[in-house]
Amino acid sequence: MLAATHLMEIVSRKFKTIEEIEVDDVLYKYRNFENENHIRILTDLEIFFAAPTSFEDKLDCKIPIRYELLTNQQIFEKYLSDSYERNPKFTRRQHREWARDWAQKSPLKNKARLLKYRDDEFNEYDKRLGILSLTANNSSLEMWNKYSADQTGFCVGFHTKKLFKFLGGGGPVQYVDELPTIKPRPWHSFDQQRYLREFSKLKCWEFEEEYRTMIFGKDGLDVNSRKRKLTTDVYKEIILGDKISDENKTKIETIIKDILPNVPIKRQKVNNNKIVIE
């Protein structure tokens, strides 16, 4: 768990590829057998990168960029930085004139326009971002209850290194006492803004011990482009919940026999309020 101030110390790190991150050998995805889309992880060897608007945590990936905190001088500095980026052939004087003009008519000084801009920005961001949530903990009673329908579902274990061949960059979520303040560019770069937004969650969610990976589509992501097909060798094990019905147990055993015959099936049991994997 990190305080927001400690999290700020690592925002200067560049995004790493998923192969560069120190991570466990096996990562897991908890699933609910009663959800048809969840079964596709077995029947179709398919994973899905969800949009932030689908998350239960309504603050997840929704930390706003705090334009309203800028002073008039900082607004000018922001537009000056923008000018050097957008108008590389300008003279120093032209950069300053361009920045002064935009600072005077800036929508950042208008609360209503700023709120609309923030809403529009998030809607576009939500269309383009897909996140796959994983965890290294297959023995969390809270996770089994919350994400596998009170232990009636199942949990899929993946070989991490083989899985990463199908994924983009990512890393572990940082759990904080309070969500960080995200500053506009140039105070926080685009990568820093994304890191703070996509990897910061309040500590009430730390039981998830989440690793997340993401995809980003410049032209937006539809349902099909959020899906990724895996190969059978990526699957390490299937763990059935302690309270899975005999009917669903038989269904999963049949699926595994036909599609993933070399993947072992294990069983999750609760012993003295602790999880045991048999």
Side-chain angles (χ1 to χ4, degrees):
M1 178 178 62
L2 295 176
T5 52
H6 292 163
L7 181 60
M8 301 296 265
E9 297 173 4
I10 59 177
V11 297
S12 60
R13 299 177 185 174
K14 294 181 179 179
F15 273 88
K16 296 182 178 180
T17 64
I18 199 70
E19 295 86 351
E20 297 174 310
I21 297 167
E22 187 174 331
V23 65
D24 294 66
D25 292 335
V26 184
L27 289 177
Y28 294 89
K29 186 71 176 174
Y30 289 83
R31 300 280 77 183
N32 178 355
F33 196 88
E34 301 305 321
N35 186 320
E36 292 183 5
N37 290 326
H38 287 202
I39 304 299
R40 293 176 66 86
I41 201 170
L42 300 179
T43 58
D44 296 76
L45 306 182
E46 182 181 280
I47 53 176
F48 186 79
F49 290 79
T53 45
S54 68
F55 296 159
E56 181 181 3
D57 177 6
K58 299 307 178 184
L59 299 176
D60 194 353
C61 293
K62 300 176 183 68
I63 307 173
I65 298 173
R66 302 296 300 276
Y67 292 102
E68 75 277 9
L69 299 180
L70 297 181
T71 64
N72 288 336
Q73 177 61 28
Q74 288 173 326
I75 290 175
F76 168 77
E77 292 171 3
K78 173 196 164 13
Y79 285 115
L80 185 62
S81 175
D82 289 349
S83 182
Y84 277 99
E85 182 178 320
R86 299 181 185 183
N87 309 305
K89 295 182 179 181
F90 273 13
T91 65
R92 181 175 181 275
R93 179 177 178 179
Q94 287 174 315
H95 283 306
R96 297 183 69 83
E97 289 177 349
W98 189 93
R100 273 194 294 268
D101 180 54
W102 275 98
Q104 289 174 0
K105 60 184 181 184
S106 173
L108 304 181
K109 297 180 180 180
N110 185 304
K111 187 175 182 179
R113 291 176 68 186
L114 183 56
L115 289 174
K116 184 180 185 306
Y117 172 80
R118 186 175 287 169
D119 288 342
D120 291 345
E121 186 268 341
F122 175 74
N123 289 334
E124 292 300 314
Y125 172 76
D126 186 69
K127 293 176 185 177
R128 290 168 169 77
L129 181 67
I131 289 182
L132 174 68
S133 299
L134 302 160
T135 181
N137 189 351
N138 65 3
S139 302
S140 166
L141 184 57
E142 191 167 2
M143 293 280 279
W144 273 103
N145 288 335
K146 189 172 184 64
Y147 298 118
S148 287
D150 294 320
Q151 304 168 64
T152 63
F154 61 100
C155 186
V156 180
F158 299 106
H159 293 285
T160 302
K161 290 184 179 179
K162 293 178 180 179
L163 176 65
F164 284 173
K165 295 177 182 179
F166 297 87
L167 308 179
V173 168
Q174 307 294 335
Y175 297 99
V176 297
D177 294 308
E178 58 181 277
L179 294 174
T181 298
I182 302 180
K183 301 176 183 178
R185 291 186 297 163
W187 295 275
H188 281 153
S189 69
F190 179 72
D191 280 351
Q192 289 171 335
Q193 290 172 350
R194 280 197 60 191
Y195 182 90
L196 289 170
R197 176 179 278 181
E198 295 166 14
F199 290 92
S200 306
K201 294 188 69 173
L202 292 173
K203 66 179 181 180
C204 60
W205 297 95
E206 63 186 342
F207 69 91
E208 295 178 340
E209 301 177 47
E210 184 182 352
Y211 288 86
R212 58 176 35 171
T213 68
M214 63 278 300
I215 55 176
F216 197 82
K218 292 182 179 180
D219 298 321
L221 298 170
D222 59 17
V223 172
N224 289 327
S225 59
R226 290 181 179 275
K227 300 174 183 177
R228 291 290 186 275
K229 289 280 190 178
L230 304 178
T231 53
T232 56
D233 63 316
V234 175
Y235 289 74
K236 169 71 165 57
E237 60 191 18
I238 310 297
I239 305 172
L240 305 183
D242 188 28
K243 300 177 182 178
I244 192 171
S245 68
D246 290 339
E247 179 184 0
N248 288 344
K249 176 177 178 290
T250 300
K251 287 180 179 179
I252 286 186
E253 288 173 342
T254 301
I255 293 170
I256 299 306
K257 181 180 178 180
D258 293 340
I259 300 174
L260 297 164
N262 297 318
V263 177
I265 299 177
K266 299 182 180 181
R267 190 68 181 261
Q268 168 253 0
K269 296 287 186 180
V270 180
N271 186 6
N272 293 326
N273 218 32
K274 292 183 179 181
I275 297 291
V276 177
I277 307 297
E278 298 179 346

